Amino acid sequence: MTRSQALLNQIKGDNLMTDSRQRILTGDRPTGKLHLGHYVGSLKNRVELQNKYDTFLIIADVQALTTNFESPEQLSQDVRQVARDYLAAGIDPEKATIFVQSMVPEIAELTVFFSMIVTVNQLRHNPTIKAESEQYGYKEMTYGFLGYPISQAADISFCKANLVPVGEDQIPHIEQTRKIVRKFNNMYDQVFPEPEALISDFPRLMGLDGKAKMSKSLNNAIYLSDTEKEVNQKIMQAKTDPARIHKDDPGHPEVCTVFHYHQAFNTDESDEIEADCRAGRIGCVACKKRLGKKLNLFLDPMRERRIKYIENPALIDEILMRGTEKARKVAGETLSQVRAAMKLDYFSA
Ligand code: TRP
């Protein structure tokens, strides 16, 4: 090799270093509209991180089937709903790759390979699996449900993700992924990076009922796609400090859902509102109105971005198809390495 060739290689190497930014993978099960809890918990992070990292967003329809296998009719609509919510929230399809899990068969293939190195006990002891199976009232778990953390490890690993921005409940799955990857790399060959979870710094957003986290199934959510009127109506019904009967009673913002939302979506005014509430200077109705205004201001740009996709639904499909194609290409490359590492590359030269 001549000196200039060596130099060229070095430059190319450097270019590779700067071009191959760290990769992010995260995503959601398509089970309906995304709400403010999704935004605070993870979507906000993703919108910011897409500028710094090569971002992959998975719409995990196979994982949705682990609980909704009896009603797949809804999926095709829900997949598009999630994509629309991502785009409305500010995910830029030029920066982030949005794709559909079931259309990348290499993920299913990798799930099978990974399943050889995970014990049934590891899955049984996964705290999120336990909590969810209780929540769904499962007396017995299907193999697919018990094993979905393996499938999630494949979601993360097929694209060699380094970072996984998720809510706290997903930590056990990232831990499981790290274990799998470590074992794979030690046993066969160094194919995968060990991914890190990136957890949102804001605590879980409470639902309008003030009793539990915001969730679709509890019917206590404000959706990113709600209209101005819907947002205002929902806020008017939100639970506040139960000890406040008259509007000049001193309030306890720490137990008030509406204050919790001020902290999340009205940071500039939340100190002032806290002080006014404690002193009984602001009543709950006035406080709610201020929140409604802020929330609608926050949602307005999302509403504007959404119009284009409502008017032209084919755009969503195009973005999903393009993203899925790119994901498949990356998956194909990783799976060749996996097959070689596992000595399954019988017919390659
Ligand atoms: N389990 C995640 C949730 O319920 C969704 C998901 C599927 C995911 N595959 C993933 C998240 C991979 C992060 C990485 O929200």
Side-chain angles (χ1 to χ4, degrees):
M1 193 190 298
T2 65
R3 250 184 70 83
S4 66
Q5 270 178 324
L7 195 62
L8 194 64
N9 281 345
Q10 199 191 331
I11 293 167
K12 272 196 192 155
D14 286 346
N15 279 346
L16 256 183
M17 291 273 284
T18 41
D19 283 346
S20 65
R21 295 168 298 168
Q22 293 235 50
R23 188 165 277 166
I24 278 182
L25 179 127
T26 185
D28 292 277
R29 305 174 190 203
T31 55
K33 300 180 276 193
L34 299 185
H35 51 63
L36 293 180
H38 290 114
Y39 185 81
V40 170
S42 170
L43 209 43
K44 180 169 185 262
N45 263 342
R46 301 176 195 175
V47 172
E48 284 162 16
L49 293 169
Q50 68 179 340
N51 298 313
K52 281 203 214 129
Y53 298 96
D54 185 16
T55 300
F56 276 64
L57 295 180
I58 186 168
I59 304 185
D61 57 341
V62 181
Q63 196 177 106
L65 280 178
T66 64
T67 53
N68 296 356
F69 54 92
E70 281 163 325
S71 49
E73 307 76 28
Q74 201 47 37
L75 270 180
S76 78
Q77 225 177 302
D78 285 346
V79 163
R80 291 170 172 109
Q81 174 73 47
V82 171
R84 217 165 30 237
D85 280 335
Y86 283 173
L87 296 161
I91 296 293
D92 177 349
E94 296 303 320
K95 292 180 187 154
T97 305
I98 309 174
F99 68 99
V100 182
Q101 185 188 29
S102 68
M103 301 201 68
V104 184
E106 290 83 358
I107 294 178
E109 191 180 352
L110 189 56
T111 303
V112 173
F113 294 150
F114 279 174
S115 73
M116 310 306 162
I117 56 183
V118 181
T119 68
V120 174
N121 268 336
Q122 277 172 4
L123 296 165
R124 282 221 180 98
H125 291 139
N126 180 309
T128 299
I129 289 286
K130 276 196 202 163
E132 285 176 350
S133 93
E134 245 165 62
Q135 183 193 326
Y136 297 125
Y138 290 158
K139 287 196 202 83
E140 262 196 283
M141 276 180 256
T142 64
Y143 175 57
F145 178 80
L146 178 68
Y148 92 71
I150 308 179
S151 154
Q152 189 157 329
D155 297 342
I156 295 168
S157 305
F158 88 87
C159 65
K160 303 190 180 180
N162 312 93
L163 294 169
V164 191
V166 278
E168 265 171 347
D169 59 328
Q170 299 295 303
I171 293 176
H173 301 337
I174 317 299
E175 277 308 310
Q176 178 65 267
T177 304
R178 290 167 64 86
K179 263 200 196 118
I180 293 172
V181 160
R182 228 175 288 144
K183 199 158 174 185
F184 185 102
N185 287 346
N186 284 337
M187 201 156 41
Y188 303 119
D189 204 354
Q190 285 284 331
V191 175
F192 302 107
E194 269 186 48
E196 304 268 358
L198 259 184
I199 306 296
S200 163
D201 49 9
F202 197 85
R204 290 211 142 235
L205 201 68
M206 295 298 284
L208 290 159
D209 54 8
K211 284 193 210 132
K213 67 170 189 178
M214 190 173 279
S215 98
K216 183 181 163 228
S217 54
L218 297 171
N219 202 14
N220 64 3
I222 297 177
Y223 295 101
L224 301 181
S225 49
D226 278 349
T227 62
E228 184 178 344
K229 206 168 141 206
E230 283 168 326
V231 168
N232 288 332
Q233 278 171 352
K234 285 182 179 180
I235 290 173
M236 280 305 154
Q237 287 152 15
K239 272 272 170 306
T240 52
D241 173 6
R244 267 192 113 183
I245 297 169
H246 307 292
K247 77 172 193 280
D248 45 5
D249 287 344
H252 306 86
E254 67 279 3
V255 297
C256 177
T257 321
V258 172
F259 180 65
H260 186 59
Y261 297 163
H262 274 293
Q263 285 181 305
F265 298 99
N266 190 12
T267 7
D268 292 351
E269 294 177 347
S270 76
D271 285 350
E272 174 200 329
I273 283 170
E274 178 172 12
D276 285 351
C277 173
R278 285 195 198 285
R281 278 193 301 262
I282 182 173
C284 292
V285 172
C287 179
K288 285 178 165 181
K289 281 197 176 142
R290 268 168 82 172
L291 176 69
K293 235 183 225 152
K294 274 285 148 130
L295 263 184
N296 279 314
L297 275 178
F298 163 76
L299 291 173
D300 275 343
M302 296 198 196
R303 292 175 180 136
E304 229 153 84
R305 278 192 290 263
R306 189 182 299 273
I307 295 172
K308 170 164 106 181
Y309 300 108
I310 301 273
E311 283 175 352
N312 190 358
L315 274 180
I316 296 279
D317 288 15
E318 255 168 54
I319 289 168
L320 286 175
M321 281 191 279
R322 221 177 339 122
T324 302
E325 212 173 290
K326 181 167 165 206
R328 278 210 73 176
K329 191 164 166 279
V330 171
E333 286 161 14
T334 303
L335 264 289
S336 306
Q337 293 171 357
V338 167
R339 280 184 223 110
M342 295 179 79
K343 313 289 177 227
L344 304 172
D345 54 343
Y346 310 117
F347 310 118
S348 51

